[in-house]
Amino acid sequence: MGQEQTRSKSIKIRGDERVEFHNQVDYCIGTGRMGLALQQEYQEQLRLVQELIGFKHIRGHGLFCDDMAIYQEYTVEGKVHAEYNFTYLDRVMDSYRSMGLAPFLELGFMPQKMARGEQTIFYWKGNTTPPKSYEAWKHMIQTLLRHLMERYGADEVVTWPIEVWNEPNLNGFWENADMLEYFTLFKESFVAIKEVDSRFKVGGPAVCGGSDKPWIQGFMEFCEEQKIPVDFVTRHHYTTDFPKYEGHYGYADLMDPEEGFSNLHSTREIVDSFPQYNGLPIHITEFNTSYIPNCPLHDTNQNAAYIAHQLSRLGDDNESYSYWTFGDVFEEQGVPFTPFHGGFGLVANGCIPKPTFWTFAFFKKLKELEGYCVYRDDNTVIMRMETGEYRGVAWNRTCKRLDDTITLNYECKTETNELCLLTKRVDESTCNPLKVWHDLGEPANLTKAQIAVLQDVAQPFVQTNSIFSKDSLACFRINLPENAVVYFELKPVHRNADRGYDYNRIMQS
Amino acid sequence: MGQEQTRSKSIKIRGDERVEFHNQVDYCIGTGRMGLALQQEYQEQLRLVQELIGFKHIRGHGLFCDDMAIYQEYTVEGKVHAEYNFTYLDRVMDSYRSMGLAPFLELGFMPQKMARGEQTIFYWKGNTTPPKSYEAWKHMIQTLLRHLMERYGADEVVTWPIEVWNEPNLNGFWENADMLEYFTLFKESFVAIKEVDSRFKVGGPAVCGGSDKPWIQGFMEFCEEQKIPVDFVTRHHYTTDFPKYEGHYGYADLMDPEEGFSNLHSTREIVDSFPQYNGLPIHITEFNTSYIPNCPLHDTNQNAAYIAHQLSRLGDDNESYSYWTFGDVFEEQGVPFTPFHGGFGLVANGCIPKPTFWTFAFFKKLKELEGYCVYRDDNTVIMRMETGEYRGVAWNRTCKRLDDTITLNYECKTETNELCLLTKRVDESTCNPLKVWHDLGEPANLTKAQIAVLQDVAQPFVQTNSIFSKDSLACFRINLPENAVVYFELKPVHRNADRGYDYNRIMQS
Amino acid sequence: MGQEQTRSKSIKIRGDERVEFHNQVDYCIGTGRMGLALQQEYQEQLRLVQELIGFKHIRGHGLFCDDMAIYQEYTVEGKVHAEYNFTYLDRVMDSYRSMGLAPFLELGFMPQKMARGEQTIFYWKGNTTPPKSYEAWKHMIQTLLRHLMERYGADEVVTWPIEVWNEPNLNGFWENADMLEYFTLFKESFVAIKEVDSRFKVGGPAVCGGSDKPWIQGFMEFCEEQKIPVDFVTRHHYTTDFPKYEGHYGYADLMDPEEGFSNLHSTREIVDSFPQYNGLPIHITEFNTSYIPNCPLHDTNQNAAYIAHQLSRLGDDNESYSYWTFGDVFEEQGVPFTPFHGGFGLVANGCIPKPTFWTFAFFKKLKELEGYCVYRDDNTVIMRMETGEYRGVAWNRTCKRLDDTITLNYECKTETNELCLLTKRVDESTCNPLKVWHDLGEPANLTKAQIAVLQDVAQPFVQTNSIFSKDSLACFRINLPENAVVYFELKPVHRNADRGYDYNRIMQS
Amino acid sequence: MGQEQTRSKSIKIRGDERVEFHNQVDYCIGTGRMGLALQQEYQEQLRLVQELIGFKHIRGHGLFCDDMAIYQEYTVEGKVHAEYNFTYLDRVMDSYRSMGLAPFLELGFMPQKMARGEQTIFYWKGNTTPPKSYEAWKHMIQTLLRHLMERYGADEVVTWPIEVWNEPNLNGFWENADMLEYFTLFKESFVAIKEVDSRFKVGGPAVCGGSDKPWIQGFMEFCEEQKIPVDFVTRHHYTTDFPKYEGHYGYADLMDPEEGFSNLHSTREIVDSFPQYNGLPIHITEFNTSYIPNCPLHDTNQNAAYIAHQLSRLGDDNESYSYWTFGDVFEEQGVPFTPFHGGFGLVANGCIPKPTFWTFAFFKKLKELEGYCVYRDDNTVIMRMETGEYRGVAWNRTCKRLDDTITLNYECKTETNELCLLTKRVDESTCNPLKVWHDLGEPANLTKAQIAVLQDVAQPFVQTNSIFSKDSLACFRINLPENAVVYFELKPVHRNADRGYDYNRIMQS
């Protein structure tokens, strides 16, 4: 590292400010293909995520891929009949629901036997061609939804959002990126679903960046023209340049986040330009920094700090934003060889939370109690809770390493003489399992002892401090080395004196 | 604090040294009275202790106290008969064994109905008088042992050591501290036990310091005279001065540890002075710093560092040494009002490990693998393991606060170019739940959220570092602020290059 | 046994009948003294009960007894101050709440240090004398309630009913059974509680049978006179004659249940005779067959069938009825020597459900779904559920053994051709752990293998049958040997033919 | 059913007989392909099997199939290199070992990238062609074994038996059933393995019936000729005729078991005819009744009784016999649509034990204690255990339904006056989850409530009886309706009279 610099910032809070901040951190999370949800390691990672963060929805690919075995055919007297196998679907849905999750259903990809073509995507060979018969497609969707409603209750299932396909604006995901064919798929699906129950919410076109503008524009025009009362619009959001590949990995530079926000805002503007769709919810059904599953960046503290900033802003234009993905049980480019390999997950294989995991956990803690935002800038967001305490997150995001530490000096109004400041710190020296794995020699196959060490070092460093207010102001500072993310709570302390343990006496002995 | 000073020490290790060090850290642990073992919180604390430390034996008072309900009487046609209720005993023993523990049986105190007098001790009123009838006492012991042998197997039960009574050299524990009566009790018990199975190992006199010399001398003479082939000698070991009471607590100063070791050595000398008892095992069936259960010292990092030093030395003269106690489910002075209250336990109520807990966990890790000691001094002990790695513990013990940091500079011989140094640090700023509890306002009744914070901050701070050897020497340093205890492992690293994740590239981006 | 006789009864159900049946099976359950709730075995038994039955409230003695350690005193400059220790109380309440239970608080007995006299009750010596100072008593109650409200939320805690003392109409429970002193205690408590929060519901006088009429009458008059807006009335209900003691057990004959219902009705009439208390809720805060904890009857199928009948009737006059007790961790007459010993519990020590456990589980299943009662007589009760299925319980209660089997022939209206009848049977030959324990030799201390066998045989025998309706009637019969209790569900079957597994073909091969 | 007949048989046991009976019930169990072992449902079923039966080894296909992802290639400067991914392998092996299992390794099938041809087998498309390069094959095997030895310890891993390929005598499993190519594969594998560690035990040819004789003969000749010190011989054993398919299922008739034993014996004779291989262990690495995974027979009590008979005999000629398979997480013919579907498993999906599960559990209980066989015939086997108790299994096997009940009358010598007979009964009316599933309407997707019912009815019916001996003989009878399997224990009872609970008095009240 070069020479270290420190910048300092002063933040004053009266406590009655009302600052805009739409915290949808826990609305939805991404996942590897649905068939992987049968795996035990997947379930364990998801359980960890749900215990410490707790999302409401989960979205991924592969509902109709062959490993889920849903669409089957059998022949009687020379005639082919469809039949549906929900054995695995139920197992997956049962497990989601046991962890408090509901799916954000993505309709795709195509069962081999129903597919018009042979094009597949990924190591796991999802077929990405249109159906031979839209009737068959519709029948499958309707049968599936009716099955889910019978099993989980209609009132419950109609609250599960439904998105049609994934990134049809890429050749790989949709043969020829054929926009008109996608619109057909969308309309047929939309109609089929609403026939089952008009309460379902259905959206698209699930595009990634690049050609997002023409696709969003085209999609809205199509809906308008066809008088489709689409319920929401979906798109994706990744924030790195093209990766440079070297060996098994791709290395990518982070973009200026404002570029991304501006691109997202363009979607908002296109949608709002259609009077009947003005204000329609936009769901970012995937976001992350890099869009490849072997980008070491994902495993770093830098990723955690960059995402903290994203979480502070993405709610401005969007109804939700779903991080891609919760864990590293993931096979798009094959089965990972090593626990750290630049996967998308919040959790590395071996149930090791990565730094970005804690970014989500910290933003979730801002929602645990009722409260309102009193301050937001590019390094911190602060809430005042109904209990009178303050909760906040602070971060020092970098795109390039500058050896630049930031000190935030907070002055918060309080009616209490004594307070306790609790901080949970995730930075490169306190919570950096990637470094530890590197120091251990980058073992491909972790022993139990190595897993235990990695889980230990993947915890935030927690501290408390006594704060005594002066002139009704509680003052404290938080140091943020580069890529640090810190959660804090500032709580009134009411000391119960009579059993008083003389702490100072002990400390001076 | 005053001005801080740093001392530095250099430690060179060839790796083939063989240094004396009898590490019996896990032989035995103390417990609150046996009736408390029925409690759920007790079981949870003990489970934590067994998972992370793992003792072989457990010893405490109260086997025959009325809450265990063992000794009962019933009357038929005006005649009183003894009957024995092993419902609770079995529950306790089943739970111990399910956690890998065997008891170190302490015979005491007296069932009310069998007692000669009314004297009791403690909040829970253990009767500390001799039996009305030694026949009844013997019958009870024999019935109990036979029951245990039937339930758990004779070969197993005869390996459980048996100690007769507790601290008979104190009036409170044994009416009038009547030495002759104790010898009777001992002899009667000894004979009764050996009648059941001569393989049992039986010892005494379980004295505390003060009058230990005349009692040990007297006991050995008695055994010699009576031709009792006593199997081992027991005594206790506490290392503070008289406490000064203030409010609900007693504050005590630590003694120079050499004073204590010298007192212990006197026991060794007395025993060895009897030719037929020369070399007889001595078990310290209780030790701690302070001997009162409301001494804040127990909860501190100072205690942890002092005990680290004790653990490095107590094996020199003694077969074992049993810390008093594993947890704070304990009622000798009543039920604790607050989670931290100066209790004896390694674990505070709420399942919060205290700093001293980690001292034991660290010394236990020196025994996890086969190895031998290569270095020991007053600040560190180092083992070389069969795997070629080094493991060690380092500490900076104080009796009075001097603001004195020690830096240990290690140079260890190695055949490997790259190594990984793993450290687990417990000091006043990294692992100090007492301070956090104080900062939180010393709440008497912890909420779940407070328990979670306290458990978080009660973990050692774990780090790794890459070490590159030079001239076959791996050099590293460990800083020890006052009262720090640090565990370390130095392991060879063999890097598997071909999947190579370019860690440095990521860190510089 | 003598000669067996069979009676037969025909039961026709249209399905739209509306028959009175107040099923309060799950409102409240009794427990051994609160201090025992700290024990692990207690928690395990209670967990079993909550998983398979699921009560809302739990009521027992001993809140203020010394083993709970709530009331303490300390002296400063010669003056005694009260202080309160809620360590154990919180542990107990936390555990209750984690199992979905709220207490039905019983205020009692007297802390030794606050007691006016020395009289105690039970092996565990609960002090049953009035307080030296009603001010101290009130302060203790108020401090306790405020503590609970702070910890668990005021809105929650005010829904916990509060009963003042237990069975003051017995000398043993209240010195001299002094009615006037009890009224003072009640009034002082009532006022103290309402001062804390007027939403609390407070009742008494918690009398047992015998002198129940004068006490209820007196209590209502006292309340009327003193203008106390008492919230509910409480009493107990046991249904055996005086036991005959032999060895360690007491054997008692069951009374004609109508006698008991008539006695209960007298309470209803007395209360209703006070215009301002007309219709006031009556809670039976204890009921069982025998009132002694060593009556073998409790462990039998006879008890289960008798209680089934009670559960079908007790709601007629009473708001609730709390079986005494959920488990056999119980010490009123000392610690049980053997797993079966005639204890009150639904569960025997070793977590073995007794037959009566299933009576409660079966009646609870009648409440799992919305529904209404369509039939009730002295052998069966039947519900029609919102799903269209029928659920019922049938029993063959005896007071004396007559070798009398009953066959119930049901004809239930249905719109379905095929139905499935599910039965769960508890009778002397299918679910009789007491007999098995006897066959095993009545072992005092169960091995793991014996516990496994006893748990296996303590399950209901479950069967299904296909029923095909004729003329829209589904007909089936249930045979009830003496002391049988049978739960049944009759459910429409819609067969999904196309995967059809040819079951008949297999069975004929 | 037709008219029922009862046959009766008398069995007299002195207790000192020594009858041949090689009970290898727990040596090995079959499994669906290894990739399925990643699934949570698989793990849960296996855990149930291990808890109640407890096998030592597990064997199945698919170690090298692509879903395990072991064999991978990457290209550097135009040259292809092999690399190995053990991520999933370790997960599977870790899970096996955590349940006390070691693999019986089957080498196969071929990684797609290493395969010479395109032929695949099963829904999951295992490639069944030889390797393009035997060097590559050998390198893969050696790398895999070395990896396992590093992870689990060499001394441990060399005890895992290794079998080369599966059923090469079938075209589907080995292209053209090419015997010479198989011998090459065997030899190359054998040599490769022994190079890693000569302690490994390696065998083949893993043939199924049909062409077993020429293949075994050819294999032994090949080994002899090539001087291969093969460690054991393997084959399979199924005992039904060709199934008749109807709808989704195949129905098959059971063969006379003697036919099968005779076929097995021919293998023994062939092997023994080679002097240097005389007595070589033969492992039946697969056996079951039907060899198709959709044969309803597998789910029946008939299967359970037939297998009981098999278990009493298979050890006569064979070192071990591995039931195919432990559970119904299985995909050879696709994913099961319904929980009962004639799958191979001991456990149906939903963790429901089938009747045959208990046959294994019962034979395992004959090995829990030390003992020796005192009686064996075609309906029962009886052991005398070191504790003095008797344990036995009895069954009434049918090939066709005859409505034929058998009564076995046992007379066992005993020194005890009172005994307890414990029976666990599995027959068509007590433990028949298939029937219950049928009665429930054969639901494809079980609700939690349905799973609970099916698990309840899938338990053996357990009873005890007091037996009083006469003339030192304990007499009892066991009734066996068709397809019943009954386990029994006959244990001495020593009654502890003084707490005597008067059971008879209660039962007569």
Side-chain angles (χ1 to χ4, degrees), chain A residues 138-157:
Chain A
K138 286 167 68 173
H139 189 256
M140 176 173 67
I141 291 172
Q142 293 187 332
T143 308
L144 178 122
L145 293 178
R146 288 191 177 113
H147 170 76
L148 292 173
M149 290 162 87
E150 191 189 330
R151 188 166 180 85
Y152 302 110
D155 292 348
E156 162 69 18
V157 173

Side-chain angles (χ1 to χ4, degrees), chain A residues 299-341:
Chain A
D299 303 340
T300 64
N301 294 86
Q302 189 184 24
N303 201 73
Y306 191 92
I307 292 296
H309 182 234
Q310 292 284 312
L311 292 184
S312 78
R313 293 284 295 279
L314 287 174
D316 292 355
D317 272 338
N318 305 287
E319 184 70 14
S320 80
Y321 28 96
S322 178
Y323 190 74
W324 186 253
T325 59
F326 80 84
D328 276 353
V329 175
F330 198 83
E331 293 185 348
E332 292 191 357
Q333 305 300 335
V335 177
F337 280 66
T338 53
F340 289 89
H341 56 272

Side-chain angles (χ1 to χ4, degrees), chain C residues 184-457:
Chain C
T184 303
L185 179 80
F186 183 80
K187 185 177 175 188
E188 295 289 338
S189 304
F190 187 93
V191 169
I193 295 163
K194 297 282 185 174
E195 269 174 31
V196 174
D197 196 311
S198 63
R199 292 174 295 173
F200 277 110
K201 302 283 180 242
V202 188
V207 290
C208 62
S211 54
D212 54 297
K213 285 183 201 171
W215 270 75
I216 299 285
Q217 180 73 32
F219 180 70
M220 299 318 299
E221 285 169 5
F222 173 75
C223 289
E224 181 181 49
E225 194 185 293
Q226 299 280 323
K227 299 199 194 325
I228 297 173
V230 59
D231 294 297
F232 55 83
V233 169
T234 64
R235 63 160 295 170
H236 298 167
H237 176 58
Y238 290 91
T239 51
T240 51
D241 296 331
F242 292 113
K244 279 153 232 146
Y245 287 96
E246 211 167 285
H248 294 82
Y249 305 101
Y251 300 85
D253 290 330
L254 283 161
M255 63 168 65
D256 178 343
E258 298 303 334
E259 250 185 78
F261 299 142
S262 151
N263 174 245
L264 288 174
H265 193 62
S266 73
T267 299
R268 181 75 270 163
E269 287 177 331
I270 295 169
V271 172
D272 290 352
S273 72
F274 291 77
Q276 68 276 52
Y277 300 128
N278 186 4
L280 202 66
I282 301 172
H283 291 282
I284 301 176
T285 50
E286 288 182 22
F287 84 104
N288 201 322
T289 51
S290 163
Y291 51 81
I292 61 167
N294 50 349
C295 181
L297 172 63
H298 290 134
D299 303 340
T300 64
N301 293 86
Q302 189 184 23
N303 201 74
Y306 191 93
I307 293 295
H309 182 237
Q310 293 284 311
L311 292 183
S312 77
R313 294 283 296 278
L314 287 174
D316 292 355
D317 272 336
N318 305 287
E319 184 70 15
S320 79
Y321 29 95
S322 179
Y323 190 75
W324 185 255
T325 60
F326 80 85
D328 276 354
V329 175
F330 198 83
E331 294 185 347
E332 293 190 356
Q333 307 298 334
V335 176
F337 279 67
T338 55
F340 290 88
H341 57 272
F344 290 116
L346 295 175
V347 180
N349 291 337
C351 266
I352 302 157
K354 299 183 195 174
T356 308
F357 178 97
W358 299 109
T359 302
F360 280 82
F362 293 169
F363 273 81
K364 180 63 185 284
K365 287 191 78 67
L366 302 181
K367 297 187 76 173
E368 258 184 11
L369 301 172
E370 289 295 308
Y372 52 90
C373 183
V374 292
Y375 185 85
R376 177 170 68 145
D377 70 13
D378 275 357
N379 288 104
T380 189
V381 58
I382 311 176
M383 309 281 295
R384 171 116 193 189
M385 317 315 287
E386 57 180 358
T387 55
E389 75 194 71
Y390 292 96
R391 296 187 166 193
V393 180
W395 60 87
N396 181 359
R397 170 189 70 70
T398 66
C399 285
K400 295 238 171 266
R401 190 166 288 278
L402 299 166
D403 296 323
D404 186 15
T405 291
I406 301 176
T407 299
L408 302 182
N409 295 296
Y410 296 86
E411 288 183 26
C412 296
K413 197 134 182 247
T414 179
E415 289 93 51
T416 320
N417 177 40
E418 187 179 354
L419 302 97
C420 178
L421 176 72
L422 169 79
T423 53
K424 303 194 177 194
R425 171 175 292 275
V426 171
D427 65 27
E428 286 172 350
S429 60
T430 57
C431 180
N432 188 351
L434 173 61
K435 174 189 180 296
V436 172
W437 178 69
H438 173 76
D439 290 345
L440 293 171
E442 302 187 357
N445 300 90
L446 300 177
T447 62
K448 274 192 192 175
Q450 288 169 331
I451 288 178
V453 166
L454 286 163
Q455 288 177 339
D456 276 354
V457 300

Side-chain angles (χ1 to χ4, degrees), chain D residues 339-397:
Chain D
F340 289 88
H341 57 272
F344 289 117
L346 295 175
V347 180
N349 291 336
C351 267
I352 302 156
K354 299 183 195 173
T356 308
F357 178 98
W358 298 110
T359 302
F360 280 83
F362 293 168
F363 273 80
K364 179 63 185 283
K365 287 191 77 70
L366 302 182
K367 298 187 74 172
E368 259 182 11
L369 300 173
E370 289 296 308
Y372 52 90
C373 183
V374 292
Y375 185 85
R376 178 171 68 145
D377 70 15
D378 277 356
N379 289 106
T380 190
V381 58
I382 311 176
M383 309 281 295
R384 170 114 192 190
M385 316 316 286
E386 57 180 357
T387 53
E389 75 193 71
Y390 292 96
R391 294 185 168 197
V393 180
W395 59 89
N396 180 359
R397 171 190 69 73

Side-chain angles (χ1 to χ4, degrees), chain D residues 52 75 93 106 155 159 228 255 257 413 418 477:
Chain D
L52 290 177
T75 306
M93 292 297 147
E106 176 200 311
D155 292 349
T159 68
I228 297 172
M255 64 168 65
K413 196 134 182 252
E418 187 178 355
R477 72 176 47 183

Side-chain angles (χ1 to χ4, degrees), chain B residues 197-269:
Chain B
D197 195 312
S198 62
R199 292 174 294 173
F200 276 110
K201 302 282 179 242
V202 187
V207 290
C208 62
S211 52
D212 53 297
K213 284 183 203 171
W215 270 74
I216 299 283
Q217 181 72 33
F219 180 70
M220 299 318 299
E221 285 169 4
F222 172 74
C223 289
E224 182 181 47
E225 193 184 292
Q226 300 278 324
K227 300 201 194 321
I228 297 173
V230 60
D231 296 296
F232 55 84
V233 168
T234 63
R235 63 160 295 169
H236 298 167
H237 177 56
Y238 290 90
T239 50
T240 51
D241 296 332
F242 292 115
K244 280 154 229 146
Y245 286 97
E246 211 167 283
H248 294 82
Y249 305 100
Y251 300 85
D253 290 330
L254 283 160
M255 63 169 63
D256 179 342
E258 298 303 337
E259 249 184 78
F261 298 142
S262 150
N263 174 246
L264 288 174
H265 193 63
S266 73
T267 299
R268 181 74 270 163
E269 287 177 331

